[in-house]
Amino acid sequence: MLLFELIGNFFIEAVRSIGKISYFMFLIFKYLFFPRFYINSNFNYLIKILLSSIPIVALTAIFSGMVLTLQSYTGFSRFSAETAIPKIVVLTLTRELGPVLAGLMVAGRVGASIAAEIATMRVTEQIDALKTLNTNFYNYLVTPRVIALVIIMPLLVTFADIIGVYGGYLISTLRLGFNETIYISNTINFISFEDYFSGMVKSIVFGFIIAIMSCYHGLYTGKGSFGVGSATTNAVVSSSVLILVFNYILTEVFF
Amino acid sequence: MEINIENIYKNFDGKKVLKGVTLKIPNKKSTIILGKSGCGKSVLLKIIYKLIFQDKGVIKYNSEENVDINNFSMLFQYGALFDSLKVWENIAFQAINEHDNSINNLKEKVIENMESLGLTSDNFYKYPSELSGGMKKRVALGRALFKKPQVIFLDEPTTGLDPINSNLINELIVKTIKEKEITAITITHDIKSAIKTGDLFYYLEDGITEISDTCNNLFKTTNKKLNYFLKGEK
Ligand SMILES: Nc1ncnc2c1ncn2[C@@H]1O[C@H](COP(=O)(O)OP(=O)(O)O)[C@@H](O)[C@H]1O
Ligand SMILES: [Mg+2]
């Protein structure tokens, strides 16, 4: 009986959450179409998250590019297809690794801080205070973050793509003895607009997911410092899972 | 503004917090709602403000159910200052967002506002985290008064303050309410401060209003629960 109860409760909770999130998204779209801009908060925010994410995205991208190159070499050298390495590296990075890695890093770095910030504001009644000062929560806190993330993610992903390819280039030329000009021309000639475009679509969707999940979990936080902690965790976990799920869905779309 | 609160019920996840609260807030008077911690005072205040909604019951503002909550303002229990904004931006928050004045004009008004609350101008560009508890409360009061509300809601204005700061806040409240003819609703468990600032008193326990009275009659009460509360014993 307990098992049925657990399963039942799980589904009721799931449906309730989906309902709440859908309503939340409906409101976000509503306020995106009728925005009221608070110039200061918007602009500073854009700059801040861009700067704070660059180092961590660069690090993950360069190491992933390097590992990817070594592992492809292991595989391709077995049937003497080393020339495919620049192509496989740039393809994997622009279509998959760039968006997914940047998405996961930004979820951890920016999503967590948005969720913690909004949850703290909720717990300390600052969200109520906004309402008493005739300021709409969505206009003031949510839409600037959605817009910022949706603009910044493509830039970060482009940056991650370049750094990752550069990591591959370093390993190939310095360690595996590839010719530099041939590696570069192979990379540039191979990549198509569609590869890059699909990565950009992914990055925009991921930026949107991170913004929604972190604002949502921040707003519906539990009480006290415990509530803030779990809001942060929930924001990061749910955006990461959704990023991976949507990555698959979008890959199917562009297949 | 006269506010009539009739038979308000509120549950949270099955927990009954308010079980039929009825009270009357007279126009341009200071009404105090006393009660122990956790008895639902803040919840009641937020329901009257329409920040959250009751499960049952009606509230009438000048005998209408609709009201523009922009006539209200609230001093929150812990100040609820925006920690990412400076003191002056906190005080002028709404006016800045509504672009209803030039920045220089607003700054002058904020300086006036701060002076009337005994805040020196060196606090102007500080962040809330750099202020003491008493100063935070004063800045929060400044923010609540800046838009010149008809009704001010005060959630435990003196809780957590030392006696001197608590007196200061009481005096500021009395001064502003009397000077500006604002209707005030204060919830508190601080009896001393309640006596100094209140015209009419209610006592809330177990989700219902036990009694309402003027200050003089408060201590002559025969209500057992209120007596316990006033004397601090059980
Ligand atoms: N948003 C909420 N969700 C669940 N329970 C709440 C919520 N707000 C208040 N409560 C509960 O209602 C009761 C009264 O809270 P409150 O009005 O803050 O008390 P106080 O009289 O000290 O101001 C408390 O037991 C609190 O746990
Ligand atoms: Mg309270």
Side-chain angles (χ1 to χ4, degrees):
Chain A
M1 279 325 273
L2 189 66
L3 184 67
F4 285 123
E5 214 177 297
L6 276 176
I7 296 173
N9 276 340
F10 174 79
F11 277 105
I12 290 171
E13 249 342 283
V15 170
R16 183 178 294 161
S17 302
I18 291 171
K20 267 158 87 179
I21 293 175
S22 315
Y23 182 62
F24 189 71
M25 289 195 14
F26 164 77
L27 288 178
I28 288 175
F29 279 114
K30 184 177 140 197
Y31 288 106
L32 274 175
F33 283 108
F34 304 99
R36 258 198 72 149
F37 287 112
Y38 303 97
I39 311 281
N40 256 324
S41 66
N42 250 330
F43 190 69
N44 293 344
Y45 204 73
L46 264 158
I47 303 289
K48 214 170 91 189
I49 69 171
L50 177 62
L51 293 181
S52 76
S53 312
I54 283 177
I56 191 168
V57 168
L59 272 175
T60 37
I62 196 152
F63 281 108
S64 307
M66 281 154 59
V67 164
L68 180 63
T69 312
L70 283 178
Q71 293 288 27
S72 325
Y73 187 82
T74 316
F76 287 123
S77 64
R78 286 184 194 162
F79 38 94
S80 318
E82 291 92 339
T83 48
I85 288 177
K87 301 171 187 170
I88 203 77
V89 167
V90 72
L91 192 80
T92 316
L93 276 164
T94 49
R95 295 185 71 115
E96 289 297 329
L97 283 183
V100 171
L101 286 176
L104 295 178
M105 288 302 123
V106 171
R109 179 71 187 76
V110 181
S113 85
I114 292 177
E117 185 190 11
I118 293 181
T120 306
M121 291 184 75
R122 167 109 254 171
V123 169
T124 57
E125 299 185 304
Q126 291 177 52
I127 303 285
D128 288 323
L130 278 181
K131 205 164 168 188
T132 68
L133 296 166
N134 206 17
T135 303
N136 182 285
F137 166 75
Y138 291 88
N139 281 333
Y140 187 73
L141 288 172
V142 181
T143 41
R145 279 151 184 77
V146 172
I147 292 170
L149 274 160
V150 162
I151 293 173
I152 294 243
M153 272 300 285
L155 299 178
L156 277 174
V157 168
T158 307
F159 174 71
D161 291 348
I162 295 168
I163 296 282
V165 168
Y166 181 67
Y169 166 82
L170 282 182
I171 289 290
S172 307
T173 55
L174 297 180
R175 180 134 158 52
L176 304 174
F178 278 66
N179 176 293
E180 288 151 27
T181 25
I182 295 180
Y183 190 96
I184 293 175
S185 69
N186 253 338
T187 302
I188 292 174
N189 291 339
F190 183 73
I191 186 176
S192 72
F193 176 74
E194 203 207 313
D195 300 328
Y196 179 70
F197 180 74
S198 81
M200 288 302 102
V201 172
K202 282 182 176 180
S203 71
I204 290 170
V205 172
F206 297 168
F208 192 69
I209 289 174
I210 296 166
I212 303 256
M213 293 326 281
S214 45
C215 291
Y216 172 82
H217 285 289
L219 182 63
Y220 289 99
T221 178
K223 293 190 153 181
S225 47
F226 182 74
V228 176
S230 53
T232 313
T233 315
N234 289 340
V236 175
V237 171
S238 61
S239 355
S240 303
V241 170
L242 284 176
I243 283 174
L244 295 173
V245 171
F246 274 86
N247 184 49
Y248 170 73
I249 295 174
L250 290 171
T251 303
E252 281 286 356
V253 170
F254 289 103
F255 189 66
Chain B
M1 184 180 292
E2 184 183 287
I3 304 173
N4 270 308
I5 295 128
E6 292 159 23
N7 222 10
I8 297 293
Y9 285 78
K10 181 73 186 176
N11 290 356
F12 282 111
D13 314 314
K15 185 178 158 204
K16 291 176 182 157
V17 177
L18 302 178
K19 299 182 256 186
V21 174
T22 300
L23 41 95
K24 198 175 254 188
I25 314 282
N27 190 22
K28 294 182 184 172
K29 288 263 158 51
S30 166
T31 303
I32 309 265
I33 303 166
L34 291 162
K36 296 180 207 159
S37 291
C39 72
K41 300 186 299 294
S42 295
V43 170
L44 177 61
L45 206 64
K46 283 181 189 167
I47 289 176
I48 303 175
Y49 203 125
K50 286 179 181 274
L51 293 177
I52 53 179
F53 294 95
Q54 66 267 33
D55 300 334
K56 232 168 79 183
V58 215
I59 304 179
K60 289 193 174 138
Y61 308 82
N62 284 341
S63 61
E64 292 209 27
E65 280 188 47
N66 286 326
V67 69
D68 177 7
I69 66 167
N70 204 16
N71 296 321
F72 300 162
S73 79
M74 166 105 82
L75 171 63
F76 286 89
Q77 189 163 349
Y78 302 102
L81 295 174
F82 303 118
D83 13 56
S84 57
L85 301 178
K86 298 183 185 89
V87 163
W88 89 269
E89 291 168 324
N90 262 287
I91 293 176
F93 184 82
Q94 184 173 343
I96 295 171
N97 285 344
E98 288 172 356
H99 312 283
D100 69 351
N101 227 317
S102 79
I103 290 294
N104 282 335
N105 253 332
L106 284 178
K107 283 188 174 174
E108 268 168 37
K109 284 188 180 170
V110 171
I111 290 174
E112 269 172 41
N113 170 295
M114 284 173 68
E115 268 171 8
S116 73
L117 296 170
L119 288 162
T120 49
S121 56
D122 58 317
N123 295 307
F124 199 78
Y125 290 112
K126 281 189 181 161
Y127 285 96
S129 57
E130 302 168 67
L131 302 177
S132 69
M135 300 231 272
K136 269 186 206 163
K137 271 275 160 73
R138 276 187 271 167
V139 173
L141 186 59
R143 184 176 72 181
L145 292 170
F146 195 76
K147 69 170 169 184
K148 302 193 168 57
Q150 284 180 35
V151 185
I152 188 164
F153 294 64
L154 303 155
D155 190 345
E156 311 210 3
T158 55
T159 303
L161 297 183
D162 58 78
I164 295 177
N165 264 307
S166 151
N167 260 333
L168 199 80
I169 292 281
N170 286 336
E171 278 161 24
L172 289 171
I173 291 171
V174 174
K175 195 178 93 186
T176 42
I177 295 172
K178 296 276 141 38
E179 257 175 25
K180 301 185 174 147
E181 298 198 310
I182 301 175
T183 308
I185 311 170
T186 308
I187 59 176
T188 186
H189 55 229
D190 177 353
I191 302 158
K192 267 194 202 159
S193 110
I195 292 166
K196 282 182 193 147
T197 56
D199 298 317
L200 179 68
F201 295 82
Y202 288 91
Y203 178 66
L204 196 68
E205 187 170 324
D206 281 336
I208 51 170
T209 30
E210 278 288 336
I211 199 161
S212 77
D213 224 323
T214 56
C215 182
N216 284 335
N217 292 337
L218 197 66
F219 281 93
K220 295 180 202 153
T221 181
T222 50
N223 183 299
K224 266 191 194 156
K225 289 177 178 171
L226 179 56
N227 253 316
Y228 287 141
F229 178 77
L230 292 173
K231 292 179 185 145
E233 50 192 49
K234 176 86 208 172

